[in-house]
Amino acid sequence: MNALAPMPHDTENPGHAPVMLAEVLAELAPRSQGRYLDGTFGGGGYARAILATADCQLWGIDRDPDAITRGHEQSDTLLAREGRRRLHLLPGTFGEMATLAEDIAPFDGIVLDLGVSSFQLDQAERGFSFKQHGPLDMRMARSGPSAADLVNKASEEELADIIYHYGEDRLARRIARAIVQARGEEAILTTGRLASVIRRVVPQDRSGIDPATRSFQGLRIAVNDELGQIERALADAPRLLAPGGVFVVVSFHSLEDRLVKRAMAHEAGRTARPSRHTPGAIDPSVNRSEFALATPKPLRATQAETQANPRARSAKLRALSRLSSSASPGIAR
Ligand SMILES: C[S@@+](CC[C@H](N)C(=O)[O-])C[C@H]1O[C@@H](n2cnc3c(N)ncnc32)[C@H](O)[C@@H]1O
């Protein structure tokens, strides 16, 4: 029995249920002596499963100092001595993975599980959730400008843009106006106050989704520069792969998935040049890429998983592989 094997019901990680874990493992197919990079270590659910599957090494990045602290505790206690030799934690962002992992690459697999963890969502004091009353924070890294800074200092137009583009809420202008009006009376410093300002101007629709959901998503994306981070990782990760290595991304909303889909298709040479004969189709003769789409269509969570974990409902998994015959990797700087 492998000392690192607490799956599939992850009793070591009650705070966060890893989404699409079986599919992630199937794509990565961890191998003995392999090197893996988990750019979103979180509760360590993927990391422990990868380490349990093969006698490999794993480097875990997270921008949240709490996740890194938890990871160190795991490697000291839960993963025991074996863990310390095989699990390495790198505080920082996956957007800077090329620098963080410069001396460690190439990897046999790289994985990103985007968004926030249940640890972050469930702690009221982190300020991510409109369901709980807490400070309006939303900073994964616990540093830099908070959501309260943004909500109280940004112009009405800037707030409307964030809520429209990142929250994809059609009522963005109305919401931004209400925020500016409310903060004129008194600064908006809590999740509860912001949620009630939004709920006053956005009617509850039949979906049952809280009217504050989209605005909170938009603000969280802006506070953490989430799309910028993803773009940087999508540009760098393929070049950190060893020949035969796989890059796996699990995303949770259309803004993320669109970036992943486009970048992977581009790397795989699928968007190189449309065929002259059938416009819109790709001319396979121009595909000389050293990468291939491992998942031509995104994988979705099983019904059993979405029933057990509603967060998995919106998950999409895409994977890109580096061909075994490709040349040695390298990041162009
Ligand atoms: C969904 S959770 C990952 C859960 C993990 N797969 C598990 O099984 O426990 C996302 C984690 O990624 C981290 N994160 C999000 N964006 C990041 C970024 N740009 N750089 C580094 N870490 C990031 C968050 O702090 C959070 O801990």
Side-chain angles (χ1 to χ4, degrees), residues 16 18 40 42-46 62-63 92-94 113 115-116 120 140 229:
H16 183 91
T40 51
Y46 284 2
D62 207 294
R63 73 197 317 193
T93 66
F94 58 63
D113 177 16
V116 281
Q120 292 163 329
M140 292 187 202
Q229 280 286 315

